[in-house]
Every structure is written in C-alpha cells, then in structure tokens.
Amino acid sequence: MHIYNFRKFRLPFSSLIGLFIVSLLPLSAQNADQFRLAAQEALEAFDAPGFAVGIIQDGEVVLSEGFGTRTIGQEETVDGNTLFAIASNTKAFIATAIARLHEEGKLDLDEPVQTYLPYFQLYDEYVSQHTTVRDLLCHRVGLGTFSGDAIWYKSEKSAEEIIRQIRHLPQAYEWRGGYGYTNLMFITAGEVIRSVTGKSWAEYVRDNFLDPLMMERTQTSVSPLSEMDNVATPHISHRNNLPIPMAPWEASGAAGGLISSTNDMLKWLGAQLDFSTDLKVAGRRESEAQGIFPAAARRTSMRPHNPIGGDNFYSAGLGWFLYQHGGEFIVTHGGGYEGMYSNVIMIPGRNLGIVVLSNSMTGVASTLARYIRDSYLGLDTEGWLETATAREANNRAVWQEKVGAPGENRILGTSPSLKMDEVVGVYHDPLYGEVQITIAEDGRLQLYFQDAPALTARLNHWHYDTYWIDWQEDHAWFNEGTLRFVVDNNRQVTGIRFHVPNDDIFFEEIEMERVGGE
C-alpha cells in the first residue's frame, strides 16, 4: 500500500498570464522551470520512481527532461533519451500507417477486413463480412472494452493465431452502435499492414516513420533493450513499486509494442502537428516531408469516427481520442503497459504537443499532461495536484477492495472433495486454447498455459474444490486469483472456472472444459 504525500502545492501564475492569454509564445526558461517544479512535486506526491516530460510548440522543443530514477532504489537518472514502453500510444502509429496506405491507394479504409485477411471473423457472419479496416481503428465492432485481452496476454501465439480466436468472443453492444476499447482490432490492423505491404507493422513503421524522423532510439520490440543503456524499469505501483522485467509484447505489438523516449516522441508529435517540423527534425525537403506524413492522413485519423458521449464532445478518431476543452480541439491517447503508463496530448490549434512517459502504474503521466495542457490554455489550475492525488488514493482504495474480496469470502476448515489425480489432465477453451493441470515436483498442483508459459502457477487449496493461484512470476495487473474445478452430477471433473480480479485481463472469459485425463 502506498503512502502518499498530499502536501498543498500551488504554482504562481502571475508571471504566466500575459504569456498564455496574450501571446502564447514558447515558454521562457523561467516558466520551463515552473513546469520542472510541478514535475518534481508530482513525482513525490504520486510516489512514482520516475518519468520524462516532453513539450513541443511551433516545431521547437520547449522541454524534454527526466525526473526520478529509472529503477527504484538505484541512482539511475531519467532524461530525454530514457526509453519507456509507450504502450497504446503505439496505436497512433498503426492508424497513421493505415491512413497513409489509404491515401497511396494501397488499401481502402472502407473495404472489408476480409479483403486483406480472409480468416478474420467476429461473433456474427454478417458482421465479419462487413467490418471494414476503418472499423478496426475506432473501437466500434461490438466487442466489450478489453474483451479478449487474455488471448494475447503473455502469449507465444502469432498475431494470426490470436486473430483466429477472436470469433469466439461474445458481442457486447450493437455493431457500429457503441464503443468498446479493443486491443485485438489493432493487432488485426497490424496484420492488414503485413498483407498489403509484405512487411510486418514493425518494419513498416520503422521504414516510414522512425527512420525518416530520426527516432533513432525508438524500438519496436523489447529484444534489443538488453544491449542498450538508459532504459527504464517497469514497476508494480500497488505492490510497493516492485520492479519487474519489461514483458515481451511481440505478437500483440501493433496494439502497444513501441518503446520510445520523450526526445523521439517529440519528433513524432511535431510531424503530426506540422509538416515544417519534419524539415527541422529530419532535414527533409517539403516534398519528402509530405511523403513521410501526408496531410490527408492526419485529417483522416484526427476526424471523429465514433462518438463516445458525455457532457463534453468526446469521440474516437483513428488511433486517437478527440474532445473539446478550453475552447480548443484536443487530440490525445494514453498507454498502459505492465509497470509503465504514458500520456500524449496535442492541441493542433496551438501547434502544441505534450508527452509524459512513466515507469509506474499511477496517474502521474495523465495528471502532468493535463496540467501542462491547462496551463497553456490559461485555465484555472489551482489545486491540480491535490485533486489528482485524492483521485489516485480513491482509485487505489477501490482497487484494494476489489482484489481483497476473495479473502473475505473464503470458508475456512474445508477440504477438497476431489483427489489430486482426479483433476490432473488437459482442459480446453475455444477462445483461449489449452491448459494443463499436473502435479509439480513440490507435490502441489500446477497450472500450465500451453501458449503462455509465463502464466505458470502452483495451486494451493482455498476452500472446497477451489484453489488459490500462486503465480510463479509477478504480473502487473493481477496478483490475486482462484481456480475452481467444475464437476458433473457423478462427481466427474468437467472443467475449470477462473476468478482473477483486475480491470484488464479477463480470465473469467475463459471457460475451460476437460478434454483428457492424466
């Protein structure tokens, strides 16, 4: 459990009024110092190991600096070159790639996905045949938010194998008649890029964005990181900032696999905001810059496609979220990786881009990004830190209540009705695949995921025929959970059901049926 610093913090704004309201010029060194002070206060208040903050306006870098440490307890300074997983901020790269290919006539956003991936199927045949590439990128295909993430989480399946499992997911709302944030559709979009170009999404993004924009440290995989320096370590914030290795998201990389720095991300945001920035960061002639990032692709991706609702205008674009704030059109996206969160905000009308990359699972990235946004817009920011940390504490309390629920419902003094050798065997779910229950060398039952060995766990008796899942590795989004053996009227084991409380990886969607004995 974290101990938070809720000290009152208020920035002096008298020196900013003329800058923000009258001229809106790039920040002076003095005002950049005020953002540095705000970042330092947020670092302490959120109990975050570290983060980096980047700001670009009118093609000029205002700030790109680090705060805190790359690894808790170590003197490893964060700076503008420190690499963090940007997670779902990868989606803008995928959507931009698709929009560019559309403008080049190499694919059609409104063509059915099955034109490019004949094996693509959803919950309904008509929906499968008529879902378009555009639908993939704006979260309107009828799947619930995060539904099916258990398919790819720490899985060794290929992207195609993951996509072939999607058809088993249930419909959550009317096709094109609602909103459900789905990583699986961006994994699918990554394979559309492969089908059209003959390159993986990673190769295409590197050849067409990373290299031309000189984003030299940005990686499309965790594989090179072991040979690189200045790489941040992920931390599980709700477990006292426990440091963990950076997890490989190979097959699911199109949904969130990029690793970058604020220095590199500012080049990307500059290109999104203004072609003249391409000329500055990449030394390209204007004609070449247009080839890197056509204006029509930007207009397509930043146009509202799927209204989400609320009191304020809010909509999904393609790889972005769009809303109105302070009289301005805002383009944004967040990213959640195991042990790292990121946030990007752009205000095209002010030619302003903001990025915060953190190595914690806290709200520090989004809080700082919004604070910088509101400061540039001349809006009231009084109490911004107190409000944010109070919200963080409340969210943490809700989380603790959620994950602590299994313990409250445990019935002590019970024994399993099934012998160990009666539950050993192979279990299968069409959505997920196979798991095996075996007896480990230590005499305990072992849970083994055929396509995700990193999820291997020991099983400790909990109550009746329910077992506590003792994960053998640390997982960022869950560390509690139970497994129940299902029996028929003759006390024969027929299946497995999971309860792993968390907000992202829904094991409850997996309903394993027994297909073989020991």
Side-chain angles (χ1 to χ4, degrees):
M1 185 72 179
H2 282 296
I3 299 175
Y4 291 90
N5 179 357
F6 295 118
R7 289 181 297 168
K8 185 174 181 63
F9 175 64
R10 182 179 303 171
L11 289 178
F13 285 99
S14 58
S15 62
L16 300 176
I17 294 175
L19 176 65
F20 291 148
I21 298 179
V22 179
S23 64
L24 291 165
L25 295 173
L27 291 178
S28 67
Q30 177 182 357
N31 292 325
D33 283 342
Q34 292 181 343
F35 281 127
R36 293 186 183 99
L37 177 59
Q40 190 61 46
E41 289 284 341
L43 179 74
E44 298 173 9
F46 279 88
D47 191 23
F51 54 79
V53 181
I55 306 170
I56 188 169
Q57 188 177 38
D58 295 325
E60 300 293 340
V61 174
V62 175
L63 187 70
S64 183
E65 296 180 11
F67 302 85
T69 181
R70 301 195 300 268
T71 306
I72 194 76
Q74 304 293 322
E75 294 184 3
E76 299 176 347
T77 304
V78 178
D79 60 32
N81 279 321
T82 301
L83 291 176
F84 297 81
I86 69 169
S88 286
N89 275 299
T90 302
K91 290 180 171 66
F93 288 81
I94 301 302
T96 300
I98 295 283
R100 171 175 163 159
L101 290 168
H102 173 81
E103 294 303 322
E104 294 172 342
K106 296 177 180 177
L107 64 73
D108 187 339
L109 276 164
D110 297 310
E111 190 73 14
V113 177
Q114 288 185 349
T115 302
Y116 308 104
L117 303 177
Y119 58 83
F120 173 78
Q121 288 188 333
L122 291 170
Y123 46 83
D124 176 85
E125 190 61 31
Y126 178 88
V127 171
S128 300
Q129 293 174 356
H130 290 82
T131 292
T132 66
V133 176
R134 191 185 301 271
D135 293 323
L136 297 179
L137 305 175
C138 57
H139 309 291
R140 65 185 186 190
V141 299
L143 296 178
T145 293
F146 301 141
S147 181
D149 279 357
I151 302 174
W152 61 261
Y153 181 71
K154 297 195 174 179
S155 174
E156 296 180 352
K157 295 185 179 79
S158 68
E160 179 176 336
E161 288 173 323
I162 291 169
I163 295 166
R164 287 181 179 274
Q165 302 297 102
I166 296 174
R167 63 191 177 93
H168 299 292
L169 287 169
Q171 183 177 8
Y173 58 89
E174 192 68 25
W175 179 60
R176 291 183 182 167
Y179 167 82
Y181 186 92
T182 169
N183 290 301
L184 290 169
M185 293 303 99
F186 275 83
I187 296 174
T188 304
E191 290 306 287
V192 170
I193 293 173
R194 184 194 300 275
S195 173
V196 170
T197 67
K199 298 180 179 181
S200 69
W201 72 268
E203 292 169 329
Y204 184 89
V205 165
R206 180 162 299 285
D207 290 347
N208 292 277
F209 301 138
L210 304 185
D211 288 346
L213 293 174
M214 298 179 67
M215 298 174 66
E216 296 172 348
R217 283 184 57 79
T218 299
Q219 303 299 319
T220 61
S221 164
V222 302
S223 299
L225 300 183
S226 61
E227 304 298 324
M228 300 180 69
D229 58 4
N230 201 2
V231 179
T233 300
H235 296 81
I236 305 179
S237 300
H238 60 271
R239 296 180 65 182
N240 297 316
N241 281 328
L242 175 71
I244 57 174
M246 196 173 286
W249 283 14
E250 304 302 322
S252 58
L258 283 177
I259 298 108
S260 192
S261 65
T262 54
N263 282 349
D264 276 7
M265 286 296 291
L266 290 181
K267 297 173 184 178
W268 168 248
L269 297 185
Q272 288 275 351
L273 288 163
D274 192 327
F275 291 132
S276 64
T277 306
D278 290 52
L279 309 180
K280 294 174 183 176
V281 302
R284 297 276 176 152
R285 295 189 303 272
E286 184 173 358
S287 60
E288 293 176 320
Q290 291 280 343
I292 295 172
F293 193 54
R298 174 174 60 179
R299 288 193 295 269
T300 297
S301 61
M302 295 185 186
R303 178 168 64 81
H305 281 74
N306 186 16
I308 298 172
D311 295 334
N312 200 3
F313 161 79
Y314 198 80
S315 178
L318 302 184
W320 294 110
F321 291 102
L322 318 169
Y323 63 95
Q324 294 283 345
H325 182 73
E328 291 283 353
F329 173 64
I330 310 294
V331 181
T332 189
H333 210 292
Y337 187 88
E338 296 172 81
M340 293 186 170
Y341 285 177
S342 66
N343 198 265
V344 165
I345 293 176
M346 290 188 291
I347 309 179
R350 304 293 176 91
N351 207 11
L352 174 70
I354 304 160
V355 56
V356 184
L357 309 177
S358 75
N359 61 355
S360 68
M361 300 174 72
T362 68
V364 68
S366 57
T367 294
L368 270 175
R370 289 194 296 263
Y371 167 73
I372 296 169
R373 173 202 66 189
D374 287 354
S375 297
Y376 267 98
L377 294 177
L379 301 177
D380 181 13
T381 58
E382 183 174 359
W384 68 277
L385 190 57
E386 298 95 317
T387 299
T389 49
R391 182 171 56 247
E392 180 83 3
N394 180 70
N395 291 342
R396 189 59 51 82
V398 171
W399 166 262
Q400 292 294 343
E401 182 179 357
K402 182 174 185 176
V403 300
E408 298 176 1
N409 298 320
R410 185 182 187 186
I411 308 298
L412 298 175
T414 68
S415 299
S417 67
L418 301 166
K419 297 178 181 178
M420 282 182 136
D421 58 2
E422 291 180 307
V423 302
V424 167
V426 178
Y427 298 78
H428 179 266
D429 173 50
L431 169 67
Y432 187 83
E434 285 189 359
V435 303
Q436 298 174 9
I437 300 293
T438 62
I439 298 177
E441 294 180 357
D442 60 8
R444 291 188 291 169
L445 290 173
Q446 176 176 272
L447 172 65
Y448 179 77
F449 290 78
Q450 183 68 34
D451 296 310
L455 294 177
T456 298
R458 297 291 195 271
L459 302 179
N460 299 324
H461 182 251
W462 187 244
H463 59 206
Y464 301 111
D465 290 317
T466 298
Y467 287 75
W468 182 258
I469 302 174
D470 181 13
W471 307 102
Q472 299 303 285
E473 294 185 11
D474 294 307
H475 305 296
W477 281 305
F478 54 86
N479 62 304
E480 316 282 337
T482 55
L483 174 157
R484 175 174 60 89
F485 290 102
V486 180
V487 298
D488 61 18
N489 290 354
N490 297 314
R491 302 297 299 164
Q492 298 297 307
V493 179
T494 60
I496 290 173
R497 299 295 182 268
F498 292 92
H499 178 62
V500 182
N502 71 93
D503 295 324
D504 297 275
I505 312 300
F506 302 144
F507 285 85
E508 287 74 15
E509 290 183 326
I510 303 172
E511 296 186 350
M512 292 285 176
E513 302 301 325
R514 193 174 191 181
V515 295
E518 184 175 5

